[in-house]
Amino acid sequence: MNGLQGFDTLRKIRTTKNAETTEGFKKRDQHLDQPLSPMARLFHEPGSNVYIIGIMGLKTKVCPDVFKDNLVRTFLKNRRFSSLQVRDKENGSMKWVPTNVNIDDHVIIAQLDPNIKSPDKFVEDYISNLSRSHIEDTKPLWDLHILDIKTSEAEGTCVFRFHHSLGDGMSLMNLLLACTRKVSDPEALPTLPGNNKLSVAKVASLWSRLSVIWNSLVALLMFMCTALFLEDTKTPMKGTEGVEHRARRFVVRSVSLDDIKLVKRAMNVTLNDVVLGVTQAGFYRYLCGRYNNKTADIPDSMRFRATFFFNLRATTRIDDFTDTDIVGTWGNKIGYSLLPFNIQFKKDPLDYVRDANATMKHKKASLEPLLTYLFTKLVIKLFGIKVGGRLNHKVFYNTTLWFSNVPGPQEEITFFGHKVAYLAPTCYGQPNALMIHVVSYMDKVMFVISADEETIPDPHKLCDDLEESLRIIKASAQSTNYQIYLDGFSATVYMALDSISGITVPVMPIVLYGCDAYYSDDLLFWMG
């Protein structure tokens, strides 16, 4: 295997024996006094010490030496990955200080028992154990764990861990994708389906402009109320105090992108609307199970909200490893909306998607993500990083979950010459019990669950409920109403495409004014 395939065009850089770039030594004085941004500082505050996990399944055995050689040529070109974050003892400020990087300190090769009975469980437990620890601040705050063991989904697994102060999910996803190439064209970078950026509804009319202003002000008011006192309803999915310090369980479940697209086309909504609708339906199913299937026990009109993250960049790029602000690629440039979930029974499963569509239209017709970002920065500027940290922590704790979606490559890719089976980003250290990441890759969509083991002890069940909800919503979207006439009488027959036979058949028994309706294949027969 040629581990450097597709990287021939990169300019080679000289390194010391401990893998520090010569260019980095020359610029040491230049970067010595560069402070961390206020948003990066937030992730060092109590209750916000968040780490990003990037799980990558590979279709081939992992070659550690290839990874180490290429990490020197890619990650270490970025000063964030070759600098310490040093705190000033006098004023508490933090600075980037270049350091001598030994790549072996950052690449951990797991010691594996060749007789492991359940490789999938071993990998899941290994990643979960990472959430019990932090990276020592005596080295740059990132590492890579290589698990060269075959699972049901991959021949080997790589787990990247980054402190959130290094950058947000989009920055780090772009860094990883910059290390990849298309399988079909080893010299080409992958193609993303589009920028995951803040989308604001068109404001052509005066009424539209007034609506955006009104929606934005109401959203900002709700944000401040949440920071002060407004807490979500207590449910089995709502975390308790200290949840950010507890271990988490990470579970990945893939579904068909074509299934989601089918619902999208049938309902004329966005892919995001379908994903949110499926999530709401899945949450209702899960809560029914936690309440022992007694729907009467589920609180009426519960307040159940997600902190939904938005990328605030005007554009993103994946062809540069360096930390540069030329196009604003790096940093923590994310805002968020408080997204209400409607957790209740729906007779028509498609109503979950319709509700999500209506909510997202309302959110898009506001500047909420931008305002929350600017408001947080203003609080930090006026009252200091401690107050800003408490504000963020209170908002996150008072909601039920974090939700984020990241667009992935549309075609199969290689990472340092290794074919990629799946990508799964997630987080730990956040002050709520649940986070759901949704990421697309080729013809799949991955739901990545990060769950506090004390609050949600059965995250696999939650994944089952999400998958079953998609199946039900898809079946409803496929159904078509046919009007049948017989001897002057009429009835609506609900038809659907049988996934096994490929024949359109009724999906429920039909009674037509005292006449029983029967069917054989695609023909209907009525017996008087």
Side-chain angles (χ1 to χ4, degrees), residues 193-404:
N195 287 330
N196 182 27
K197 63 181 180 180
L198 174 64
S199 176
V200 180
K202 295 181 180 179
V203 289
S205 66
L206 176 61
W207 177 249
S208 297
R209 292 188 180 96
L210 292 175
S211 295
V212 169
I213 294 173
W214 173 254
N215 290 339
S216 301
L217 291 176
V218 170
L220 185 58
L221 178 62
M222 289 296 294
F223 171 80
M224 291 188 288
C225 289
T226 302
L228 295 173
F229 62 88
L230 193 61
E231 186 176 356
D232 280 6
T233 305
K234 298 292 185 181
T235 70
M237 299 177 72
K238 178 76 171 66
T240 56
E241 188 174 352
V243 65
E244 64 270 20
H245 303 302
R246 298 199 290 262
R248 302 181 78 90
R249 178 69 54 176
F250 305 106
V251 181
V252 182
R253 183 66 58 89
S254 65
V255 298
S256 170
L257 178 59
D258 288 338
D259 288 350
I260 295 177
K261 286 182 176 179
L262 184 150
V263 179
K264 169 187 178 295
R265 290 191 296 266
M267 301 188 66
N268 192 28
V269 295
T270 67
L271 292 175
N272 208 39
D273 295 336
V274 179
V275 168
L276 284 173
V278 168
T279 304
Q280 289 186 127
F283 284 174
Y284 179 78
R285 291 179 63 88
Y286 179 77
L287 282 175
C288 281
R290 292 292 296 271
Y291 284 110
N292 297 317
N293 294 316
K294 296 179 180 179
T295 56
D297 291 341
I298 298 180
D300 294 328
S301 303
M302 75 171 73
R303 185 182 298 111
F304 190 108
R305 294 172 297 170
T307 304
F308 191 91
F309 291 93
F310 286 80
N311 172 33
L312 297 179
R313 296 170 179 81
T315 185
T316 56
R317 55 185 291 181
I318 60 174
D319 59 347
D320 190 6
F321 301 110
T322 58
D323 173 12
T324 174
D325 291 326
I326 296 176
V327 292
T329 300
W330 278 92
N332 283 282
K333 297 179 175 64
I334 48 176
Y336 49 84
S337 290
L338 300 181
L339 191 69
F341 277 36
N342 191 358
I343 310 297
Q344 55 183 238
F345 174 72
K346 307 284 186 184
K347 291 183 178 179
D348 183 356
L350 298 182
D351 282 344
Y352 290 108
V353 180
R354 295 187 183 103
D355 283 352
N357 174 255
T359 300
M360 288 307 297
K361 281 184 177 179
H362 181 79
K363 290 296 179 180
K364 290 176 182 177
S366 79
L367 300 174
E368 182 179 358
L370 181 60
L371 290 180
T372 55
Y373 175 78
L374 294 177
F375 183 81
T376 303
K377 292 189 70 173
L378 179 63
V379 168
I380 293 173
K381 185 175 182 180
L382 294 178
F383 303 105
I385 194 70
K386 296 295 182 184
V387 175
R390 286 196 291 270
L391 168 77
N392 251 16
H393 179 269
K394 193 69 173 177
V395 171
F396 296 152
Y397 175 76
N398 282 344
T399 55
T400 303
L401 74 148
W402 280 9
F403 193 99
S404 179

Side-chain angles (χ1 to χ4, degrees), residues 50-109:
V50 180
Y51 282 82
I52 296 175
I53 295 283
I55 308 169
M56 182 180 294
L58 302 175
K59 292 184 177 181
T60 58
K61 290 293 183 181
V62 184
C63 183
D65 290 337
V66 171
F67 268 72
K68 291 179 183 180
D69 290 343
N70 280 289
L71 286 172
V72 170
R73 304 172 63 197
T74 54
F75 277 37
L76 297 190
K77 290 179 67 176
N78 188 309
R79 67 178 172 88
R80 294 168 184 256
F81 290 81
S82 57
S83 297
L84 302 177
Q85 296 181 21
V86 179
R87 187 184 298 272
D88 191 312
K89 294 182 180 180
E90 294 183 1
N91 56 26
S93 63
M94 299 186 71
K95 302 175 183 178
W96 298 102
V97 178
T99 188
N100 189 6
V101 177
N102 184 346
I103 199 66
D104 290 324
D105 292 338
H106 295 269
V107 179
I108 296 92
I109 303 172

Side-chain angles (χ1 to χ4, degrees), residues 87 152 163 173 212 224 299 327 341 368 409 420 452 483 504:
R87 187 184 298 272
S152 60
H163 194 271
M173 175 65 84
V212 169
M224 291 188 288
V327 292
F341 277 36
E368 182 179 358
V420 175
D452 168 42
Q483 200 72 16
T504 301

